[in-house]
C-alpha cells in the first residue's frame, strides 16, 4: 500500500530508499514487491535486507555486500568479472542465509553441520557466547569437491571464512587445496591421518563414548543394524551386545568405518544428537589433546577472535 501511494508521487529520475524491505511482509508479498520495483524503469532503488528470501529474488548484478569492520565500511559488488569462476549466483540461491552472516564455516556435509550445532550448544551450556553471537553461519558444502570453490567465493566477497573437512577424500579436497585456502587467510580444519569425522571420532573418543555412539545409531530413528555394520567392516563376527565389545584399535577402526559407510549420522539432526551423546568426553583432560578436540577448539577460538 505504501509503495502504491508513493508511486503516485515518483518522478522521472527518482531515487527511492527502502530499509529492511522484508519488514512485516510475508514471503510471497516480498517476491511480489520486488517484481513491482524491478518493473519501474524511471528511477533507481536502494534496498537493504537481512532476508534470504530477498537475496534469492535478486541477481548478482543487483546485489552488493556491505561489511563493517571496526568502523571500516566496505561495499562489495557481488558481480565482478573476476568472480565468474566462483558461480556466486548459484551459491546465493542455494546458501542465501550464509551471505547474511559476518563469518561462515563451510562444512563438508550435513554431519559436520549437525556436529558443530551440538558443539555450539555445549559451549553455550559452559557459559560461552554461541556462534550466532559472533555472526557465524554454518554452511553445508554438500561434498568435499565443492569446499574449495565455496571458500574462495565467500573470501572473494570479504567474508571471514572457516572450513571443516574430512581428510579421507584427497582426490576431492587435497593438501594442495588446503594450502591454497590457508594462503587466502581462510581457517581450515582437516582431520589427521586422512580420516572422516566418524573415523576420527571413533579413534579419539574415550571407549565409553565410542560405545554410546554405536548404541545411539542402533536405537535411533532410523535404527541401523550396528552390529551387522561393524561385522562387515571388521571382516568377522561380533557380539550383538554392544556393551560387551572390548576396546581395541582394530575395533575402533571398524566402528568408524561402519559409521561412515552406513551413514549413521548423515544428516544435521543426527549429527547434532551424536555430539550431545558424546559431549561429556570434552570434560576429560586426556581427550583435550586429541586431534578431534584440538581442531574443534581451534575452530571455536577462530570464531571468537576474528
Amino acid at each position: 500500500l505504501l509503495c502504491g501511494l508513493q508511486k503516485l508521487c515518483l518522478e522521472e529520475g527518482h531515487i527511492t530508499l527502502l530499509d529492511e524491505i522484508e519488514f512485516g511482509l510475508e514471503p510471497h508479498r516480498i517476491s511480489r514487491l520486488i517484481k513491482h520495483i524491478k518493473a519501474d524503469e524511471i528511477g533507481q532503488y536502494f534496498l537493504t535486507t537481512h532476508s534470504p528470501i530477498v537475496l534469492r529474488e535478486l541477481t548478482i548484478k543487483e546485489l552488493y555486500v556491505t561489511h563493517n569492520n571496526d568502523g571500516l565500511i566496505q561495499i562489495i559488488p557481488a558481480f565482478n568479472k573476476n568472480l565468474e569462476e566462483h558461480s556466486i549466483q548459484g551459491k546465493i540461491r542455494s546458501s542465501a542465509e550464509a551471505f547474511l552472516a559476518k563469518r561462515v564455516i563451510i562444512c563438508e556435509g550435513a554431519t559436520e553441520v549437525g556436529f558443530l550445532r551440538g558443539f555450539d550448544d555445549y559451549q553455550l551450556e559452559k557459559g560461552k557466547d554461541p556462534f550466532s553471537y559472533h555472526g557465524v553461519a554454518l554452511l553445508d558444502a554438500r561434498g568435499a569437491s565443492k569446499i574449495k570453490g565455496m571458500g574462495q567465493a565467500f573470501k572473494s566477497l570479504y567474508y571471514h571464512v572457516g572450513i571443516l573437512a574430512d581428510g579421507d577424500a584427497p582426490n576431492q579436497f587435497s593438501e594442495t587445496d588446503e594450502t591454497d585456502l590457508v594462503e587466502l587467510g581462510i581457517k581450515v580444519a582437516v582431520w589427521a591421518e586422512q580420516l572422516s569425522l566418524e573415523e576420527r571420532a571413533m579413534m579419539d573418543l574415550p571407549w565409553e563414548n565410542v560405545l554410546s555412539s554405536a548404541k545411539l545409531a542402533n536405537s535411533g530413528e532410523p535404527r541401523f543394524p550396528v552390529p551387522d555394520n561393524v561385522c562387515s567392516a571388521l571382516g568377522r563376527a561380533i557380539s550383538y551386545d554392544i556393551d560387551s565389545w572390548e576396546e581395541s584399535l582394530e575395533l575402533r577402526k571398524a566402528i568408524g568405518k561402519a559409521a561412515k559407510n552406513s551413514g549413521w549420522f548423515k544428516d544435521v539432526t543426527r549429527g547434532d544428537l551424536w555430539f550431545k551423546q558424546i559431549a561429556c568426553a570434552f570434560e576429560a583432560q586426556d581427550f583435550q589433546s586429541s586431534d578431534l578436540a584440538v581442531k574443534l577448539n581451534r575452530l571455536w577460538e577462530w570464531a571468537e577472535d576474528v
Side-chain angles (χ1 to χ4, degrees):
L1 177 61
L2 288 172
C3 286
L5 291 172
Q6 186 171 2
K7 186 176 181 180
L8 297 175
C9 305
L10 293 179
E11 298 178 356
E12 184 80 27
H14 73 86
I15 297 176
T16 300
L17 313 179
L18 288 172
D19 186 35
E20 300 285 352
I21 187 172
E22 69 275 7
F23 185 74
L25 294 180
E26 297 169 346
H28 67 282
R29 296 191 185 280
I30 294 173
S31 176
R32 179 63 181 168
L33 176 56
I34 291 176
K35 286 183 172 63
H36 171 79
I37 289 172
K38 285 185 174 184
D40 182 356
E41 298 179 353
I42 67 169
Q44 185 175 12
Y45 289 83
F46 287 88
L47 319 177
T48 66
T49 185
H50 288 99
S51 169
I53 296 168
V54 175
L55 294 191
R56 293 188 181 103
E57 290 292 331
L58 300 173
T59 70
I60 55 173
K61 292 184 179 181
E62 298 162 336
L63 287 171
Y64 292 76
V65 181
T66 304
H67 297 287
N68 181 351
N69 296 307
D70 296 325
L72 175 63
I73 307 298
Q74 293 174 293
I75 301 178
I76 315 298
F79 175 76
N80 185 309
K81 284 292 184 182
N82 296 328
L83 302 181
E84 286 184 348
E85 63 177 302
H86 301 312
S87 304
I88 300 292
Q89 183 71 71
K91 291 175 176 63
I92 288 175
R93 291 271 159 78
S94 65
S95 313
E97 290 82 1
F99 284 87
L100 298 169
K102 295 179 180 179
R103 300 150 198 167
V104 181
I105 298 178
I106 299 170
C107 301
E108 179 170 326
T111 302
E112 286 77 13
V113 172
F115 204 74
L116 285 184
R117 283 170 62 93
F119 186 49
D120 186 38
D121 288 339
Y122 168 78
Q123 296 286 25
L124 184 61
E125 291 172 1
K126 301 295 289 183
K128 296 187 178 181
D129 295 319
F131 279 137
S132 58
Y133 177 84
H134 299 289
V136 175
L138 304 176
L139 176 59
D140 181 357
R142 300 179 184 178
S145 63
K146 300 177 182 178
I147 292 172
K148 185 176 182 179
M150 296 193 81
Q152 291 172 322
F154 276 93
K155 191 63 179 179
S156 68
L157 294 175
Y158 293 86
Y159 287 88
H160 299 291
V161 182
I163 284 171
L164 181 63
D166 290 343
D168 63 337
N171 60 322
Q172 298 184 52
F173 185 72
S174 65
E175 289 186 6
T176 301
D177 294 331
E178 179 181 351
T179 300
D180 291 344
L181 293 176
V182 170
E183 289 177 352
L184 291 175
I186 294 174
K187 175 68 175 179
V188 182
V190 178
W191 308 121
E193 302 177 60
Q194 294 191 333
L195 297 180
S196 65
L197 170 57
E198 294 92 336
E199 292 170 311
R200 186 72 265 165
M202 301 311 176
M203 292 296 291
D204 291 351
L205 288 169
W207 184 241
E208 59 267 26
N209 297 117
V210 174
L211 294 182
S212 68
S213 299
K215 287 189 284 188
L216 175 65
N218 196 51
S219 61
E221 182 59 45
R223 179 180 180 276
F224 291 87
V226 168
D228 290 334
N229 296 158
V230 175
C231 175
S232 178
L234 196 59
R236 59 178 172 81
I238 192 170
S239 171
Y240 276 77
D241 180 9
I242 295 175
D243 285 318
S244 71
W245 294 355
E246 295 184 3
E247 180 179 2
S248 69
L249 180 59
E250 179 189 31
L251 186 51
R252 281 181 175 270
K253 288 181 177 179
I255 295 171
K257 183 178 179 180
K260 179 183 76 169
N261 292 344
S262 300
W264 292 357
F265 311 112
K266 287 295 184 187
D267 62 45
V268 173
T269 299
R270 283 183 288 169
D272 189 353
L273 289 174
W274 180 31
F275 186 92
K276 288 177 169 59
Q277 183 73 23
I278 57 90
C280 59
F282 283 79
E283 303 300 320
Q285 190 61 41
D286 291 345
F287 177 67
Q288 291 299 319
S289 60
S290 69
D291 188 61
L292 182 68
V294 167
K295 286 176 178 170
L296 283 178
N297 286 329
R298 286 178 180 171
L299 195 60
W300 184 269
E301 291 168 2
W302 169 84
E304 286 185 314
D305 293 342
V306 171

